[in-house]
Amino acid sequence: PKELMPGTVVIGWSGSQTTSKYLHLIDPVLKYLKANYDVRIMVMGDDDFELAGVDIELLHWTAESEITNLQKFDIGLHPLPDEQWAYGKSGGKLVQYMAAGIPIVATALGPNFKVIQDGYNGFLVTGEQEWIERLVLLITDHELRKKMGENSRRFAAENSSVEANAGKYLAVFDKL
């Protein structure tokens, strides 16, 4: 992972045009942060994303650029709506953030509980005030951001890497 330096903190979200509507769940949070802190907000995967009054840096998604773009993020966002669809999600985007060594702030529901250990590799939040509090904590505490990023990377390696899952795959082949 890149060395985190004091200064502008990059808050990022990765998804698609069909899921970017969930980023709008935290519009007031993003507006508050942009108005009060030295942050850049990046959105990867929706080339048309807009938030009135907030300068958003759009990153075009390609398979070739995805990892490089994720490595630009200091903090990853994962807001989800409290609806049935969200409970069926796998948490794959979270694992991508973690593999890149990014601490995550995510809605406290569904698959997020399987991947995020609150306070270790990210924060699970409910409500606008918690979003703001946890993001401000990560924005203003360089060491915490760095430590949680390291924990994210470790969690991904221990739980989601090919090496970590090799036994599970081999067991399936043995049964065949």
Side-chain angles (χ1 to χ4, degrees), residues 82-139:
D82 189 1
E83 57 187 40
Q84 202 60 39
W85 174 86
Y87 290 90
K89 290 187 58 67
S90 68
K93 188 58 59 185
L94 299 174
V95 174
Q96 285 184 311
Y97 284 157
M98 288 193 289
I102 303 166
I104 304 161
V105 181
T107 306
L109 61 78
N112 296 349
F113 284 104
K114 297 177 198 164
V115 180
I116 297 175
Q117 296 171 349
D118 191 55
Y120 175 74
N121 56 2
F123 290 115
L124 293 166
V125 297
T126 56
E128 188 176 312
Q129 194 55 43
E130 280 191 11
W131 274 98
I132 290 172
E133 288 169 5
R134 298 311 184 280
L135 283 163
V136 166
L137 184 58
L138 286 170
I139 290 165

Side-chain angles (χ1 to χ4, degrees), residues 61-72:
W61 183 92
T62 66
E64 296 76 28
S65 67
E66 181 175 30
I67 293 170
T68 302
N69 283 337
L70 283 173
Q71 290 172 336
K72 295 175 184 177

Side-chain angles (χ1 to χ4, degrees), residues 3-131:
E3 181 58 32
L4 301 175
M5 301 305 290
T8 303
V9 174
V10 177
I11 300 171
W13 176 88
S14 176
S16 68
Q17 285 188 313
T18 57
T19 58
S20 64
K21 60 187 173 187
Y22 302 122
L23 186 54
H24 284 297
L25 294 169
I26 59 169
D27 280 356
V29 172
L30 298 176
K31 287 180 178 186
Y32 174 83
L33 295 174
K34 191 70 176 155
N36 293 285
Y37 294 90
D38 185 12
V39 296
R40 284 170 56 199
I41 300 170
M42 293 184 176
V43 169
M44 179 171 57
D46 181 349
D47 296 339
D48 299 317
F49 187 86
E50 292 181 356
L51 177 54
V54 177
D55 181 32
I56 303 284
E57 188 171 337
L58 300 176
L59 304 172
H60 182 70
W61 183 92
T62 66
E64 296 76 28
S65 67
E66 181 175 30
I67 293 170
T68 302
N69 283 337
L70 283 173
Q71 290 172 336
K72 295 175 184 177
F73 297 179
D74 294 312
I75 301 167
L77 300 173
H78 195 65
L80 287 176
D82 189 1
E83 57 187 40
Q84 202 60 39
W85 174 86
Y87 290 90
K89 290 187 58 67
S90 68
K93 188 58 59 185
L94 299 174
V95 174
Q96 285 184 311
Y97 284 157
M98 288 193 289
I102 303 166
I104 304 161
V105 181
T107 306
L109 61 78
N112 296 349
F113 284 104
K114 297 177 198 164
V115 180
I116 297 175
Q117 296 171 349
D118 191 55
Y120 175 74
N121 56 2
F123 290 115
L124 293 166
V125 297
T126 56
E128 188 176 312
Q129 194 55 43
E130 280 191 11
W131 274 98

